[in-house]
Amino acid sequence: WVPFSSTANQLQISQNKAAYTGTTNGYQGALYVRRCAGDANRVEGNLYLTNLATAAEGLLIHCDRELTQQVFLAVNATDAEIYSGPPGSMTQRATHTTGGAGKWALTYDEVNDKYIAEKDGVATGLEWTSVSTTVTHGENFRFGGVRIERSTVVLVGINAGQIDNWTLRDYVA
């Protein structure tokens, strides 16, 4: 695992889960440095969200080791979004009004060129289609990870929550 952060701190393990460290707003994440064999991938993990948080946390897929590209399934208490780009300047690509704690997954359907989000094993309706012109695929972009944010958009200093039971794997529908 390789940590990355917009703050002076890095993710830590707290109560056996990945957790945000410190009191400075921003993002903290970690990139798993073993790649998948192909481009059709699935990343999943249990997201333990702070119920009042407007800050997001979630799963990363199709990252490169230099962190110039990430696809981020960002989940907060009420919504889920898909973002892409480098960690400090991601662009929102799709959104849906399903959020909250649970077992979340983001799958790349290579045949139909789209990302599909699931919560607790059920498709949420959050999809991003026609991604091949925006997201680079190939051997150097088969890494994944986690990202947790802290924000004061609504409440003062709220961390998004914690992440546990993370997996990244090749996926066949």
Side-chain angles (χ1 to χ4, degrees), residues 40-57:
N41 306 139
R42 178 180 177 90
V43 63
E44 57 189 22
N46 292 329
L47 305 185
Y48 300 91
L49 289 147
T50 304
N51 287 334
L52 300 175
T54 56
E57 70 180 41

Side-chain angles (χ1 to χ4, degrees), residues 33-87:
V33 293
R34 299 223 183 230
R35 72 183 75 170
C36 289
D39 291 332
N41 306 139
R42 178 180 177 90
V43 63
E44 57 189 22
N46 292 329
L47 305 185
Y48 300 91
L49 289 147
T50 304
N51 287 334
L52 300 175
T54 56
E57 70 180 41
L59 311 170
L60 301 172
I61 193 171
H62 289 151
C63 307
D64 66 334
R65 289 172 63 160
E66 291 75 31
L67 297 173
T68 62
Q69 173 180 286
Q70 298 180 340
V71 176
F72 176 37
L73 171 62
V75 181
N76 66 31
T78 59
D79 302 302
E81 296 95 15
I82 299 173
Y83 289 85
S84 72

Side-chain angles (χ1 to χ4, degrees), residues 5 10 21 25 34 47 54 59 85 95 102 116 129 147 151 163:
S5 177
Q10 301 291 344
T21 304
N25 291 346
R34 299 223 183 230
L47 305 185
T54 56
L59 311 170
T95 186
I116 304 163
T129 59
R147 176 176 165 142
S151 174
I163 301 173

